[in-house]
Amino acid sequence: MRSNQLHSEPDDAEEGAMLRDSRVPLFAALLSLAFLPNCQTRDAALTPVPHVVVILADDLGYADLGFTGCADFQTPALDALAAAGVVFTDGHVSAAVCAPSRAGLITGAHQQRQGFESNLIYNEDATGLAIGSATLASRLRAAGYATAGVGKWHLGSAEGQHPLDVGFDQFTGLLKGARPYFPQLKKPSSALTRIERNREIVPESELGYLTDFFSAEAVRFIQDRNQDKPLFLYL
């Protein structure tokens, strides 16, 4: 039940996770896709279109949650979610590292169709999603959803690859795979290390602990979105 990478630490640990499996995100994507055929045929007066929330947690070990037996710390919200829903224990994604796996998740296609053989090199070239790719966000937006991405993108930064170019109405996060906190690595002027909100740099004074910041951004989207639309949140 180990999921993909979403964190505020340097990405060195990703390369050490080659053999780890990532199970929750693919189910979330398939669940999202399962709703799509019904979105245009439902009678809204009879059955509301469901909201879709996909949450990726970085390096989450199978035994790191209360409902899977962890006694070292408490995860009451996730335990409640598991108790009220269904827990899948044998799901898989298309790659064992971050960017290729995310490419498969967000597009529904094998990552090599997107040119992903490994994690992206952190520069500002055109490496990333194939231009014009359909994504969960673009398909759900076409089905009438309000869409938002929050957190780590790691799928390219060139024109046509930004979250706002591939179906997201809003995006708050970083385009790179990680945000370094070490002074010698930090490059605030880089488009890949800064935190942005809809292409505008978020002032450092607003950030604080990134987990709390991203959570607050996600809650704000849920509360402020167009209430006439179902929502898709990719956190």
Side-chain angles (χ1 to χ4, degrees):
M1 194 167 174
R2 193 183 306 274
S3 66
N4 274 323
Q5 316 293 318
L6 172 60
H7 62 92
S8 55
E9 300 290 331
D11 265 4
D12 296 343
E14 290 182 358
E15 299 304 325
M18 290 293 293
L19 299 180
R20 296 175 180 172
D21 59 338
S22 302
R23 299 176 177 176
V24 174
L26 183 58
F27 161 69
L30 293 175
L31 181 63
S32 302
L33 290 172
F35 288 140
L36 288 180
N38 297 323
C39 288
Q40 297 176 340
T41 59
R42 290 174 182 266
D43 184 337
L46 299 176
T47 307
V49 177
H51 301 305
V52 179
V53 177
V54 177
I55 302 174
L56 306 186
D58 177 61
D59 288 341
L60 181 66
Y62 179 81
D64 291 346
L65 300 166
F67 70 89
T68 59
C70 180
D72 297 327
F73 43 83
Q74 298 179 337
T75 57
L78 295 176
D79 296 347
L81 184 64
V86 178
V87 177
F88 289 78
T89 59
D90 192 20
H92 303 273
V93 293
S94 60
V97 292
C98 180
S101 184
R102 287 172 179 273
L105 168 65
I106 203 69
T107 65
H110 193 277
Q111 71 272 4
Q112 288 182 328
R113 289 181 177 270
Q114 298 290 324
F116 282 84
E117 300 286 345
S118 60
N119 272 338
L120 297 184
I121 297 173
Y122 296 140
N123 53 37
E124 299 182 41
D125 62 16
T127 304
L129 291 180
I131 303 301
S133 296
T135 67
L136 274 173
S138 64
R139 292 183 182 275
L140 284 165
R141 185 163 70 177
Y145 277 71
T147 60
V150 177
K152 173 182 174 180
W153 180 236
H154 205 188
L155 290 173
S157 60
E159 183 177 354
Q161 296 169 337
H162 190 280
L164 299 184
D165 296 330
V166 295
F168 289 96
D169 299 324
Q170 303 175 33
F171 173 73
T172 301
L174 68 162
L175 300 180
K176 184 184 173 180
R179 175 181 166 83
Y181 279 108
F182 302 104
Q184 66 270 30
L185 298 177
K186 189 175 180 181
K187 298 178 181 178
S189 61
S190 170
L192 302 182
T193 58
R194 71 191 185 197
I195 303 297
E196 64 174 67
R197 182 186 291 119
N198 298 331
R199 302 185 192 271
E200 299 293 329
I201 299 175
V202 177
E204 295 286 324
S205 59
E206 289 189 31
L207 298 178
Y209 180 50
L210 279 185
T211 298
D212 292 340
F213 174 76
F214 288 150
S215 297
E217 289 290 305
V219 170
R220 185 172 69 172
F221 164 69
I222 292 172
Q223 294 175 338
D224 294 349
R225 69 183 172 82
N226 184 341
Q227 296 296 317
D228 293 332
K229 291 184 176 182
L231 68 86
F232 168 55
L233 172 64
Y234 174 69
L235 171 61

